[in-house]
Every structure is written in structure tokens, then in C-alpha cells.
């Protein structure tokens, strides 16, 4: 099963040091790029990440990055 492409561009997200974030891996979340539980009807699991700095992160929107949850430019070839 392939994940649903949420968008063919990354999401620029301001993250806070010490917070836990769950990135949507299935593409079905209505709260992109974060998980809202829609993966439960799939085999996908959200990806947990905890930033070490408060900063802007570019999270994958196409769900095909090799560096999940971060964008690696894969969307350019889809």
C-alpha cells in the first residue's frame, strides 16, 4: 500500500524544543502534516520526532521521503 500524497511540497512548521510531534505517514490526516488517527485503517504508523531546537522544520508532504518525517526533495519526482 502506498501513502496518499497530501501535497507535492513540504510543510514549513514551527516546532518547539522538548515537544513531541507525530508526523502523519499515511497521508490521510485532516491535520497535515501531523497525525490525527486516520492511519488506523491502514498499515502505516505515525513517526514520532522531538526537536532539539525551537525552529522551522520542513516536513514531508508527499509521504515518500527517505528521511521521514523531513522533506528530502522526493516530491519533485512524483
Amino acid at each position: 500500500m502506498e501513502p496518499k500524497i497530501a501535497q507535492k511540497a513540504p510543510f514549513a512548521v514551527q516546532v518547539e524544543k522538548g515537544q513531541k510531534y507525530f508526523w502523519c505517514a499515511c497521508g490521510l490526516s485532516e491535520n497535515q502534516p501531523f497525525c490525527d488517527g486516520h492511519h488506523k485503517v491502514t498499515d502505516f504508523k505515525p513517526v514520532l520526532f522531538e526537536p532539539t531546537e525551537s525552529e522551522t522544520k520542513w516536513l514531508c508532504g508527499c509521504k515518500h521521503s527517505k528521511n521521514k518525517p523531513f522533506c528530502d526533495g522526493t516530491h519533485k519526482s512524483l
Side-chain angles (χ1 to χ4, degrees):
M1 175 180 220
E2 290 287 318
K4 177 184 175 202
I5 297 172
Q7 68 179 27
K8 289 187 178 180
F11 291 93
V13 178
Q14 181 64 34
V15 296
E16 300 299 322
K17 178 181 178 178
Q19 294 290 319
K20 291 182 180 182
Y21 296 90
F22 289 90
W23 173 80
C24 169
C26 69
L28 300 176
S29 174
E30 293 177 10
N31 188 34
Q32 290 294 332
F34 301 110
C35 176
D36 69 359
H38 275 84
H39 67 274
K40 293 177 182 174
V41 298
T42 74
D43 292 330
F44 292 98
K45 302 288 182 225
V47 175
L48 168 67
F49 72 99
E50 297 179 59
T52 56
E53 302 288 332
S54 295
E55 61 187 343
T56 300
K57 290 288 191 182
W58 295 90
L59 302 184
C60 176
C62 73
K63 311 304 177 184
H64 288 81
S65 173
K66 304 269 188 290
N67 188 31
K68 295 173 175 81
F70 307 106
C71 178
D72 68 358
T74 298
H75 63 274
K76 296 175 186 172
S77 64
L78 298 177

